[in-house]
Amino acid sequence: MTYIRDAAGVAGFIERWLREHVAEAGAVGIAVGLSGGIDSAVVAALARRAFGQDMAALVMPCHSDPSDEADARLVADALDIPCERVDLTAVYDALASELRKIGVLQGPALSNLKARLRMASLYAVAQARSLLVCGTSNRAEIATGYFTKFGDSAADLLPLADLLKGEVRAVAAHLGVPERIIRKAPTAGFWAGQTDEGEMGLTYDELDRYLATGDAAPEVRERIEARRRNSEHKRRPVPICVPEV
């Protein structure tokens, strides 16, 4: 695919970019959630190269598939990434129980609560250690709104936001991310059997091709553009009302 940029060049650029922005903020490194997926593995690996031990990679299980935590540990061990565990299961259960009392029973509202608890945890650690929170969303996820507003989208830096999924895979291979993680089906881990591509009804290859070239089957194009239209509020700054009276 000719639209996939050179992995070594992209990785080196992002490392320099991270150092510049962290220094500009007067911080010492970054905090990132390590989910067991490829995007967070790449961000954590780049942070390790850029900042050494001045980083925090948090594994934050919350009714999660145990294999996801095992994969996160695999990444941390393979790439010598300092990794800590914050179990959010009990916190989630307590908050979800209170919300159910007022009628919030199931569905995306409770699933997205997991992402927002992880965001709050990352910011708590980052503030205490003079770190910046690094998000892991890639270009395809941002373009389609496939992220939790004020959850995984809440970050100080988004180093992968201009990278197609194929470019993330290429950078992962360049950085030595374990092959199991590169080949793993992307998932937000919100419920058993959930995958990104299954939930979106689109493959990342279709998304990459359309975003890079504008080329797609008519039904794929319409599905992508519909997701883009319906999620526009997620990408815009919060509107501020300025009364003209």
Side-chain angles (χ1 to χ4, degrees), residues 33-101:
L34 199 57
S35 68
I38 188 172
D39 297 309
S40 67
V42 167
V43 172
L46 290 167
R48 179 70 175 85
R49 288 162 65 114
F51 304 108
Q53 295 291 317
D54 289 328
M55 64 172 292
L58 301 186
V59 179
M60 296 173 281
C62 186
H63 292 293
S64 306
D65 186 328
S67 68
D68 288 337
E69 182 171 352
D71 286 343
R73 296 287 181 183
L74 173 65
V75 169
D77 291 344
L79 302 178
D80 191 28
I81 293 168
C83 181
E84 299 167 279
R85 186 176 192 267
V86 179
D87 192 336
L88 297 175
T89 305
V91 176
Y92 172 85
D93 286 345
L95 184 51
S97 177
E98 290 299 311
L99 289 170
R100 289 188 180 101
K101 292 177 184 178

Side-chain angles (χ1 to χ4, degrees), residues 99-182:
L99 289 170
R100 289 188 180 101
K101 292 177 184 178
I102 58 172
V104 183
L105 300 178
Q106 59 188 0
L110 289 184
S111 294
N112 287 329
L113 185 61
K114 297 177 181 180
R116 294 184 175 117
L117 287 173
R118 290 178 177 127
M119 176 275 293
S121 301
L122 280 169
Y123 268 98
V125 170
Q127 185 174 359
R129 301 182 185 177
S130 297
L131 307 173
L132 295 185
V133 173
C134 221
T136 65
S137 295
N138 59 59
R139 181 178 172 186
E141 291 170 330
I142 290 173
T144 57
Y146 193 73
F147 55 84
T148 299
K149 193 174 184 178
F150 302 121
D152 51 324
S153 69
D156 300 309
L157 301 172
L158 290 171
L160 306 186
D162 191 55
L163 270 61
L164 301 168
K165 192 71 171 184
E167 292 178 315
V168 175
R169 294 190 189 106
V171 172
H174 168 72
L175 296 174
V177 171
E179 187 68 19
R180 169 181 168 80
I181 307 304
I182 296 174

